[in-house]
Amino acid sequence: MNFENILVELKENLAVITINRPAKLNALNKNTIAELHDAFKALDLNTSVKAIIITGSGEKAFVAGADISEFANYSIEEGTELARKGQELLFDFVQNLSTPVIAAVNGFALGGGLELAMAAHFRIASTNAKMGLPEVSLGLIPGYGGTQRLPQLVGKGKAMEMIMTAGMISAEEAKEWGLVNYVVEQEELLPLCEKLASKIIRNSSTAIAAAIKAINANYTNCINGFAVEIEQFGVSFNTNDFEEGTTAFLEKRKPNFE
């Protein structure tokens, strides 16, 4: 896969996507969002890929925000379409991807950058990472799911504070509030993500996809998450991975999932 603004590396069952716009601190523009969509879609369809890591190039920024120069003169209609299309192509798409996505937050994750990290299934940060949603300082609000996902992760009060003050929090604060799972030195970031990915890869991809669907259902309006869990639990009984997993357990050996 050849792209202008991102790099994709395959390591056996693991894929690493790197947003590669260092001169712009990896800011998201329309082309980068489209490329990320295409990369995630292709990797999700690749049955050999069992986990995906998303990170930014360099040591300063994961994604420092959206490319403001692209939409500074937008109308109401254009702004609405920008948010709608962005959520559909990338942010909601990543959240609902059947392949697990880990965000390796290697620096500034601001605005659309934090929204992309929050769309991933979980996040690991380097010690120098700073996170925030500064949109109100531009006369905007977060438009790529930030007003919804941030309260889900850190609670309503802290999300209100972060969004209304437009301030940044440190990696350690993000860990304290449940926004990231671990904080490590920069050089340890990708190795830890790869270690966690290797644990994921050993398990059933079909079961993990079902778990993602069930967990996300709890955060979807008008959807009964418990009902989705029951449904996905039942469906699992008709999979090759269930047969292999239970057989391996009874035979006291490690499973060999497809």
Side-chain angles (χ1 to χ4, degrees):
M1 292 181 281
N2 294 316
F3 298 102
E4 180 183 352
N5 295 324
I6 66 174
L7 305 171
V8 179
E9 181 183 4
L10 294 175
K11 302 180 178 182
E12 296 183 359
N13 299 122
L14 172 66
V16 179
I17 300 175
T18 304
I19 301 167
N20 189 34
R21 300 184 74 211
K24 295 284 189 178
L25 293 179
N26 304 322
L28 296 176
N29 58 7
K30 287 183 180 178
N31 188 44
T32 305
I33 287 174
E35 288 189 352
L36 285 167
H37 169 82
D38 291 344
F40 277 113
K41 184 175 181 179
L43 293 170
D44 195 42
L45 292 171
N46 185 340
T47 55
S48 68
V49 175
K50 308 296 186 184
I52 302 169
I53 295 170
I54 175 77
T55 193
S57 63
E59 297 184 352
K60 287 187 176 181
F62 172 72
V63 172
D67 199 330
I68 297 169
S69 62
E70 273 197 341
F71 58 78
N73 298 309
Y74 270 18
S75 65
I76 291 174
E77 294 75 17
E78 289 171 319
T80 302
E81 183 60 18
L82 178 73
R84 180 183 293 114
K85 192 168 184 180
Q87 289 194 33
E88 178 184 333
L89 278 179
L90 183 58
F91 300 88
D92 290 350
F93 188 79
V94 168
Q95 176 174 295
N96 294 302
L97 208 70
S98 61
T99 306
V101 179
I102 304 170
V105 183
N106 57 304
F108 289 109
L110 305 175
L114 180 55
E115 288 173 304
L116 177 57
M118 291 192 294
H121 297 119
F122 61 90
R123 291 143 295 282
I124 314 299
S126 57
T127 52
N128 67 308
K130 301 284 186 182
M131 283 157 261
L133 295 176
E135 285 86 350
V136 296
S137 69
L138 300 172
L140 292 171
I141 69 168
Y144 288 144
T147 65
Q148 305 305 298
R149 294 189 179 97
L150 187 61
Q152 291 169 4
L153 290 163
V154 304
K156 181 180 177 181
K158 188 64 177 178
M160 287 283 195
E161 176 190 339
M162 287 178 65
I163 290 171
M164 290 192 289
T165 63
M168 292 186 292
I169 63 171
S170 68
E172 284 297 337
E173 287 177 294
K175 180 185 173 186
E176 178 184 344
W177 283 97
L179 187 53
V180 303
N181 291 18
Y182 303 95
V183 176
V184 294
E185 296 295 331
Q186 181 90 227
E187 62 272 14
E188 298 172 19
L189 180 61
L190 282 178
L192 176 57
C193 289
E194 291 179 5
K195 180 181 179 181
L196 291 167
S198 70
K199 293 181 178 181
I200 292 169
I201 288 165
R202 290 200 295 265
N203 297 315
S204 163
S205 293
T206 56
I208 287 171
I212 290 170
K213 187 173 182 179
I215 292 167
N216 283 342
N218 186 53
Y219 298 97
T220 306
N221 287 337
C222 303
I223 298 292
N224 184 329
F226 289 99
V228 174
E229 179 186 274
I230 291 167
E231 174 195 15
Q232 292 300 309
F233 179 78
V235 168
S236 299
F237 281 78
N238 193 38
T239 64
N240 292 333
D241 280 2
F242 171 72
E243 181 179 354
E244 168 61 17
T246 52
T247 301
F249 177 82
L250 294 171
E251 293 178 353
K252 295 181 173 56
R253 61 174 174 83
K254 291 184 179 180
N256 182 24
F257 293 117
E258 295 178 353

